[in-house]
Amino acid sequence: MAEHPVTNYLSRTEKPVLILQGDKDFQVSVEKDFALYQQICIGKPNIRFKLYPGLNHLFMKSVYGRVKDFKKEYKIPQKMSAEVLEDIAEWIWANDQ
């Protein structure tokens, strides 16, 4: 990953890109990572972003919402958000060329 920074790829690519994140994701930050990707991609109509309120890194409902509990949260049986799955499917369908 260090040899191929994502910022370089995003600024150059013309391919469709979908960037999704849950706002309760403790692996990456909305303020740092998601916002940086949005800034890098200003004016790039091929890149779509969506932030999901209340979802964690696995796109499941955040139960605790606290960094110290994220590992414990991942042990709670849940399903991935249907909204995320629908958005991914729609994006694939729209970009199937």
Side-chain angles (χ1 to χ4, degrees):
M1 296 280 302
E3 293 179 25
H4 305 284
V6 71
T7 54
N8 293 348
Y9 173 78
L10 289 175
S11 63
R12 291 191 313 249
T13 190
E14 297 301 322
K15 295 180 182 181
V17 176
L18 178 62
I19 298 175
L20 309 175
Q21 184 175 332
D23 77 345
K24 298 295 183 188
D25 188 334
F26 300 115
Q27 309 295 325
V28 291
S29 163
V30 173
E31 295 79 17
K32 180 181 173 192
D33 303 299
F34 195 76
L36 174 64
Y37 294 149
Q38 286 181 309
Q39 184 179 18
I40 292 165
C41 300
I42 290 173
K44 299 207 45 104
N46 59 309
I47 300 179
R48 182 172 165 220
F49 291 87
K50 186 152 184 191
L51 186 64
Y52 297 90
L55 298 186
N56 64 23
H57 189 71
L58 303 177
F59 295 110
M60 296 186 297
K61 184 179 176 189
S62 178
V63 177
Y64 300 108
R66 296 182 305 257
V67 174
K68 68 179 188 135
D69 294 321
F70 84 89
K71 287 184 182 178
K72 184 168 62 170
E73 182 169 285
Y74 293 165
K75 294 179 182 179
I76 298 171
Q78 293 191 68
K79 294 181 180 177
M80 185 176 174
S81 163
E83 180 184 5
V84 175
L85 291 173
E86 289 172 18
D87 288 344
I88 293 169
E90 287 176 17
W91 180 82
I92 291 170
W93 182 258
N95 291 286
D96 183 29
Q97 298 176 27

